[in-house]
Amino acid sequence: MSQSKKPSESSEVIPISGLLETLGFSNPNVQSAVRQIIETAGYTNPRKTNIAVDKAKLVQIYIKANFRLVCSEECDDAAGKKRMKSGLRVRTDKCEFCNGSDQNRLVAKMAKSLSDRGLSEILIVGGSTQSANTLNRLLKSCKINLKIIEGTKRTNLKMAKLLCRNVDLVVIWGATQLDHTVSQVFNIAAEPGTKVPVARPGLKALVDAVNIHLRSN
Ligand SMILES: [Zn+2]
């Protein structure tokens, strides 16, 4: 690309350091790495401190299209399948996975702890529709195979045993939309050592219970 030699189309300029900051690159080491990347791509050169606003927009598009912007190892792992792109560390508020949400980061951390231990088949019984949607959305790209059973849907023991077969973790999410008969049947069906009871609603309660299970197994 030859943009760097052309006089800027717009007279308005911003500091390159400011642009990097806006993109979420606050760490000085990452800033200089990204500076190198945009120099190599031809958007600027080592002599410049400012960049035209128009060109800054192009840099933003270029970075987002070619790199996975994540805040931590957990989020990088959970962002998963976009392996074609290499990862760059950004501030949490610019993270493509968690978007600065503590809850999302907790889920990412849980997913990493599970896959680090080779646990990938997770069955969740109960929970709200909202938490099911959130988990499915967050975990769609990571190595976890998540299956969520509606807590109000009657299941017989035979079916429950089938669903629990080869499952690494059976989370029984009490205090949510979970009928007593459903929790009972899965309590019997789950293999010993795979059962994770959760006593409270909310994703934080789920993550805490899974962590306690992992620590004690
Ligand atoms: Zn993140």
Side-chain angles (χ1 to χ4, degrees):
M1 268 170 254
S2 60
Q3 282 104 322
S4 61
K5 291 287 168 196
K6 276 192 286 177
S8 50
E9 298 86 345
S10 158
S11 57
E12 232 185 303
V13 296
I14 54 165
I16 294 171
S17 58
L19 167 66
L20 298 178
E21 194 67 41
T22 308
L23 284 166
F25 304 114
S26 293
N27 177 304
N29 291 336
V30 180
Q31 278 201 359
S32 48
V34 177
R35 166 94 205 208
Q36 278 280 304
I37 289 168
I38 62 176
E39 282 173 14
T40 307
Y43 290 105
T44 188
N45 65 54
R47 294 185 305 279
K48 295 197 173 171
T49 46
N50 291 334
I51 187 163
V53 170
D54 294 348
K55 209 183 272 180
K57 284 181 192 147
L58 296 177
V59 168
Q60 198 151 352
I61 294 166
Y62 173 78
I63 293 290
K64 286 186 177 166
N66 292 285
F67 297 90
R68 196 169 63 246
L69 307 179
V70 282
C71 76
S72 57
E73 208 187 320
E74 293 90 59
C75 287
D76 196 17
D77 217 54
K81 303 215 168 101
K82 296 187 224 158
R83 282 290 167 220
M84 302 296 283
K85 298 182 184 182
S86 38
L88 284 174
R89 283 286 186 277
V90 287
R91 286 191 314 270
T92 54
D93 62 305
K94 294 290 175 186
C95 176
E96 285 174 5
F97 180 81
C98 70
N99 290 307
S101 148
D102 291 341
Q103 178 187 275
N104 292 355
R105 216 156 36 245
L106 280 175
V107 172
K109 207 169 172 185
M110 174 187 76
K112 185 163 184 342
S113 309
L114 288 169
S115 49
D116 283 352
R117 285 173 169 79
L119 306 173
S120 59
E121 304 300 317
I122 313 298
L123 184 73
I124 295 180
V125 184
S128 66
T129 312
Q130 198 200 343
S131 56
N133 290 341
T134 307
L135 284 170
N136 279 325
R137 178 173 54 82
L138 290 176
L139 299 178
K140 67 174 189 292
S141 300
C142 73
K143 294 165 200 138
I144 304 290
N145 286 323
L146 185 67
K147 188 162 188 164
I148 300 176
I149 307 287
E150 268 179 66
T152 50
K153 216 171 178 177
R154 289 282 182 101
T155 310
N156 62 31
L157 185 59
K158 195 177 164 196
M159 188 59 181
K161 277 188 174 165
L162 212 65
L163 286 163
C164 289
R165 203 160 62 187
N166 301 324
V167 164
D168 297 313
L169 233 57
V170 179
V171 176
I172 300 176
W173 206 343
T176 62
Q177 290 145 2
L178 177 62
D179 288 355
H180 180 63
T181 47
V182 177
S183 71
Q184 207 173 23
V185 110
F186 278 96
N187 255 309
I188 299 167
E191 294 287 328
T194 63
K195 234 185 288 180
V196 182
V198 185
R200 287 172 290 125
L203 286 176
K204 179 156 190 323
L206 170 88
V207 171
D208 287 345
V210 169
N211 287 338
I212 289 168
H213 176 86
L214 294 180
R215 272 201 296 272
S216 58
N217 279 269

